[in-house]
Amino acid sequence: MNVLVIGSGAREHALCHSLSLDPEVTGLHCAPGNAGIAEVAELHQVDPLDGKAVAALATELGAELVVVGPEAPLVAGVADAVREAGIPAFGPSGEAAQLEGSKAFAKEVMAAAGVPTARSYVCTTPEEVDEALDAFGAPYVVKDDGLAAGKGVVVTGDLEEAKAHANACDRVVIEEFLDGPEVSLFAITDGETVVPLQPAQDFKRALDGDEGPNTGGMGAYSPLPWAKPDLVEEVMNTVLQPTVDELRRRGTPFSGLLYAGLAITSRGVRVIEFNARFGDPETQVVLARLKTPLAGVLLAAAQGTLADVPDLRWSDDAAVTVVIASHNYPATPRTGDPIEGLDEVAAQDAPSAYVLHAGTKRDGGAIVSAGGRVLSVTARGTDLAQARERAYAAVDRIHLDGSHHRTDIAAKAAAGS
């Protein structure tokens, strides 16, 4: 199978890494990719938001499957353009991707499907914002209705900060605060059959102890030893399948990766948000544990034959990923700094630990930073403690001037607390 992956982050590197190990994959391409992806796939230049250009590239390469990684191309309808060219695409239509593209649309779908979520108001004026914030009280949860690359949500006890964020957006969803730990659960679907993956937990705040500003994600781990055994089944029955069924009923079937961000509250499971693609950095740990070859599963979802796929097989190993971020992330990150130590990780830590690139590029003979989140250092182990130890040993070999990372990824879970 000849596969083209669209995107340039650590999520796409994780997908390419798994696909490169799949015996069914005979050709692997990525556009536009990054310096790390170049080691396992052939890179091509394309505007990932230009559906016609992506479809033309896929046709030129003879791609038999196109995997659209990021949310912006999905919302822009890139998967539609690929399908119109007669090529199977893994990723929802632009219309179905509004499940992530609009928080208000997602709330509407959840209400119709009976999916448990936070009570909320959609606000477009300062007066509506004031009323909603007053109704719920602190801590305040304010979400930009549109795409914001993982940074459109503010959770704060400061009323003025909440108002400032809300009034800087054209339309916001203001909702009640959900207590309890957060869980990410992905599911692959062809619009009818839903196949859940293994749950993971990510870390959104920039600093240890869940301090500092929100980010796109500073690390993740899987499995979740503290989660109840029937969590996946419960979420399948109350969240994932009802949502897929509702979108099909509306005439906008969702085919691709449905990501449920969940809060395990004192009142039960509640949906925080939906995404229409693999999450970053959770993908790094989930795919690290998947034993079933990936390409056939993605192709079955794209072709509507997911019901024929055997049950997925998973490793009993644990996986941890630690994000190395550039200086000043998540504000305006500094780029262009050389990254050292990647060869040492490959020589001394592989295959139990490896580096997935996010914001990198090649500059002459050097690999340099090219974004906020630069690397995802991922490791497997017999348990979370060993996976953490291996991940942080690899992190210590890498030098990026001014960079920072959290030191407490999976620490509580590994300690049994």
Side-chain angles (χ1 to χ4, degrees):
M1 190 190 311
N2 195 18
V3 182
L4 168 63
V5 176
I6 302 300
S8 60
R11 165 187 44 233
E12 287 74 38
H13 194 178
L15 287 163
C16 287
H17 176 77
S18 290
L19 290 166
S20 72
L21 302 175
D22 188 332
E24 292 184 30
V25 176
T26 53
L28 183 56
H29 305 266
C30 187
N34 61 41
I37 295 173
E39 297 175 8
V40 295
E42 184 179 345
L43 300 191
H44 305 270
Q45 284 304 309
V46 76
D47 178 357
L49 296 175
D50 186 337
K52 288 184 178 179
V54 171
L57 175 62
T59 302
E60 178 188 334
L61 295 174
E64 295 158 280
L65 172 66
V66 175
V67 180
V68 183
E71 59 272 27
L74 290 168
V75 172
V78 167
D80 300 277
V82 172
R83 280 189 281 267
E84 286 167 10
I87 301 170
F90 181 82
S93 66
E95 204 170 356
Q98 286 301 313
L99 199 62
E100 176 171 4
S102 168
K103 303 290 192 299
F105 175 72
K107 289 290 189 182
E108 181 187 318
V109 170
M110 282 188 271
V115 169
T117 187
R119 292 179 298 121
S120 63
Y121 295 101
V122 179
C123 305
T124 56
T125 68
E127 292 75 23
E128 290 175 347
V129 166
D130 290 347
E131 287 180 22
L133 293 173
D134 183 59
F136 288 132
Y140 304 102
V141 181
V142 184
K143 299 181 176 182
D144 189 340
D145 181 52
L147 293 179
K151 300 173 199 167
V153 179
V154 166
V155 181
T156 179
D158 185 328
L159 179 59
E160 293 308 313
E161 182 184 1
K163 286 183 179 181
H165 180 64
N167 293 326
C169 304
D170 292 332
R171 185 162 80 153
V172 293
V173 174
I174 294 175
E175 62 185 38
E176 65 176 329
F177 176 76
L178 296 174
D179 63 336
E182 295 184 11
V183 173
S184 300
L185 184 61
F186 304 161
I188 293 172
T189 179
D190 59 7
E192 190 164 345
T193 299
V194 181
V195 176
L197 305 186
Q198 290 291 301
Q201 186 174 58
D202 76 331
F203 295 75
K204 290 293 188 193
R205 298 285 184 172
L207 307 176
D208 284 6
D210 292 327
E211 299 289 336
N214 259 346
T215 72
M218 295 299 292
Y221 70 94
S222 179
L224 311 181
W226 50 266
K228 58 184 183 180
D230 64 347
L231 175 64
V232 173
E233 181 182 3
E234 178 185 345
V235 175
M236 267 290 293
N237 294 335
T238 63
V239 175
L240 298 170
Q241 192 70 58
T243 300
V244 169
D245 291 346
E246 172 62 20
L247 286 166
R248 187 176 67 252
R249 187 191 68 76
R250 289 168 172 246
T252 55
F254 188 104
S255 170
L257 194 289
L258 177 58
Y259 165 143
L262 308 165
I264 313 302
T265 77
S266 55
R267 294 173 291 146
V269 174
R270 297 288 186 273
V271 175
I272 301 170
E273 64 177 352
F274 282 126
N275 290 333
R277 38 73 191 179
F278 281 100
D280 179 352
E282 300 99 319
T283 301
Q284 289 85 301
V285 293
V286 172
L287 292 185
R289 300 183 57 225
L290 179 64
K291 294 175 72 173
T292 299
L294 184 61
V297 182
L298 302 186
L299 182 63
Q303 294 182 325
T305 59
L306 200 55
D308 301 331
V309 172
D311 290 345
L312 300 183
R313 295 179 294 112
W314 296 93
S315 168
D316 291 331
D317 282 356
V320 171
T321 194
V322 179
V323 171
I324 297 177
S326 56
H327 175 73
N328 205 39
Y329 177 79
T332 305
R334 191 174 77 201
T335 60
D337 290 313
I339 303 166
E340 299 172 352
L342 298 174
D343 291 342
E344 285 85 345
V345 174
Q348 299 185 48
D349 301 290
S352 60
Y354 50 93
V355 180
L356 298 170
H357 292 228
T360 69
K361 67 177 182 180
R362 191 166 283 282
D363 183 8
I367 293 176
V368 301
S369 60
R373 292 186 296 172
V374 181
L375 304 169
S376 285
V377 181
T378 305
R380 292 186 300 263
T382 55
D383 57 21
L384 286 173
Q386 186 180 60
R388 284 191 82 249
E389 183 181 335
R390 289 172 170 176
Y392 281 108
V395 167
D396 288 344
R397 299 188 202 284
I398 296 169
H399 178 73
L400 171 62
D401 187 48
S403 67
H404 62 97
H405 63 271
R406 284 185 57 158
T407 64
D408 62 347
I409 303 301
K412 289 183 179 178
S417 60

